[in-house]
Amino acid sequence: MIMDNARSTPRLFCAPGPGFRSLLEEYAGRILGVFAYGACKPEPPPSDVPFAWIPMPVFEAEAWYEVWVSAQAVTLRRAPDRSLACDGELLFGTVVLDDPGDDALDAGAFALYSILFDTLDREGYPALLRVWNYFPRINEDTSGTERYRAFNVGRHEAFCSKGRVIAEGAVPAACALGTRQGGLQVCFLAGKVPGTVIENPRQVNAYRYPSDFGPRSPTFSRGILVGDALLISGTASIVGSESMHPGDVALQVDETLRNLKTVVEQAGTRGFDTGDHAGLHLNVYLRRPGDYPIVRRMLDRAFEGARHVAYIVADVCRADLLVEIEAFWLPQGK
């Protein structure tokens, strides 16, 4: 089955603060979902559009909004623990559960992903394309296990329990970041048919990490092509499976940029043409707020002309990583 790229490619529009209201008006009836990053909970969209508040401070704005838009009309659905929007080819949704506590985080992640996979099967969008994972205290050790590693156990078990294949070309792009409050929250993009998975030859595939990084590896790919869009996972200073340059944010940014460049080059071998930076959106997650000036200077040079760059304070999935960047390279049309 060949996807119609014009119809199956999501669009992304961003705005700081209240500026997102004009986007809601302009794209009414076609909005797949809205993210709001900010330390304080902002006012949600005035509709049943899937909405996720990510409680993370943003530099130079009270809030940063991402509005994901379809090329066609969407249908909205809502339940107590989830909200959905679909357009016949793409499904966007959010699932939120209370934090189950330190001793049951693996069970909470299993429940979260079980709801996600059951939703995809019920709605008829079996291909999980991109996932955003957020939960508090991601790097804390509880009962001898880091919370991120416990989360990976539950996620992996849900993939297996629900009949999902964990192998090259079969896992979604993703990020996993730590918030300072809230419960377990997952946002996702799924499709009727799979996208084209992109891996990075500089890095071990994440789902094949050695047991040094936990009893179950994280289940994600480095990026994915969805129609004419390239969605790159959270990317950091990792070579092979090892974190590089501990404590040095500038060297970590350099290494992260090499990894991003490699993913884009690999996408190019699959027919993706980046052109310039005009369609590029970046979310830059910083563990230490004081690193913002140097990271911004480096990225201003590396990505001159990028459409939007947001700088957000967050805990990165590995305690020795200071910065993580996710990238969305999308067409500019409406």
Side-chain angles (χ1 to χ4, degrees):
M1 180 177 181
I2 303 300
M3 298 181 75
D4 179 343
N5 285 2
R7 292 168 56 85
S8 63
T9 300
R11 277 72 169 169
L12 174 60
F13 303 93
C14 304
F20 89 108
R21 295 287 172 186
S22 62
L23 296 175
L24 297 182
E25 295 174 2
E26 184 172 359
Y27 298 104
R30 291 170 46 200
I31 296 174
L32 291 164
V34 177
F35 289 83
Y37 297 88
C40 299
K41 187 173 183 177
E43 184 179 353
S47 69
D48 287 335
V49 168
F51 173 71
W53 169 45
I54 315 303
M56 297 174 176
V58 180
F59 288 91
E60 300 185 3
E62 290 188 4
W64 179 260
Y65 290 88
E66 294 179 355
V67 181
W68 289 83
V69 174
S70 170
Q72 51 204 320
V74 304
T75 300
L76 304 175
R77 297 188 181 89
R78 181 173 290 277
D81 57 1
R82 78 205 78 167
S83 57
L84 306 171
C86 56
D87 65 5
E89 296 184 19
L90 296 173
L91 171 72
F92 189 98
T94 65
V95 181
V96 181
L97 298 179
D98 292 336
D99 192 323
D102 294 338
D103 294 332
L105 187 59
D106 55 346
F110 178 85
L112 190 76
Y113 268 79
S114 294
I115 292 170
L116 189 163
F117 288 131
D118 288 344
T119 299
L120 301 193
D121 291 341
R122 183 179 61 252
E123 299 293 334
Y125 294 82
L128 186 58
L129 303 171
R130 213 305 183 174
V131 188
W132 295 256
N133 302 284
Y134 304 103
F135 57 96
R137 299 179 294 115
I138 192 171
N139 300 129
E140 286 189 16
D141 283 338
T142 58
S143 303
T145 302
E146 185 188 46
R147 280 170 61 85
Y148 178 56
R149 297 185 180 195
F151 179 87
N152 286 335
V153 170
R155 173 168 57 174
H156 182 278
E157 295 305 320
F159 267 79
C160 295
S161 174
K162 296 300 180 177
R164 261 59 185 187
V165 175
I166 301 176
E168 189 159 354
V171 294
C175 63
L177 293 149
T179 60
R180 304 300 169 87
Q181 58 180 301
L184 305 183
Q185 183 166 213
V186 64
C187 307
F188 61 90
L189 179 70
K192 292 283 189 180
V193 297
T196 301
V197 169
I198 307 297
E199 294 293 355
N200 181 351
R202 300 185 79 236
Q203 299 176 307
V204 174
N205 292 0
Y207 50 86
R208 292 178 177 162
Y209 280 169
S211 59
D212 298 2
F213 297 95
R216 291 289 184 269
S217 296
T219 313
F220 69 93
S221 63
R222 302 299 177 183
I224 194 164
L225 290 168
V226 179
D228 291 326
L230 173 60
L231 311 182
I232 300 179
S233 297
T235 303
S237 178
I238 297 172
V239 177
S241 60
E242 299 294 329
S243 300
M244 305 298 290
H245 317 298
D248 191 320
V249 70
L251 290 179
Q252 286 198 14
V253 170
D254 279 339
E255 203 70 70
T256 301
L257 293 176
R258 292 188 192 99
N259 283 327
L260 288 170
K261 179 181 178 182
T262 302
V263 172
V264 173
E265 289 172 348
Q266 292 298 304
T269 68
R270 309 302 296 270
F272 181 73
D273 181 11
T274 60
D276 54 30
H277 292 158
L280 178 62
H281 305 255
L282 299 172
N283 285 345
V284 183
Y285 299 98
L286 302 176
R287 182 181 296 277
R288 304 184 309 202
D291 290 332
Y292 169 64
I294 186 172
V295 174
R296 175 151 192 175
R297 285 196 299 271
M298 294 178 72
L299 294 188
D300 283 349
R301 291 195 300 267
F303 295 111
E304 183 178 0
R307 190 166 190 183
H308 291 110
V309 183
Y311 292 87
I312 302 164
V313 180
D315 292 328
V316 182
C317 61
R318 292 189 187 182
D320 55 2
L321 294 175
L322 303 175
V323 62
E324 180 173 314
I325 302 173
E326 58 184 359
F328 310 109
W329 222 308
L330 302 106
Q332 296 186 74
K334 292 188 176 185

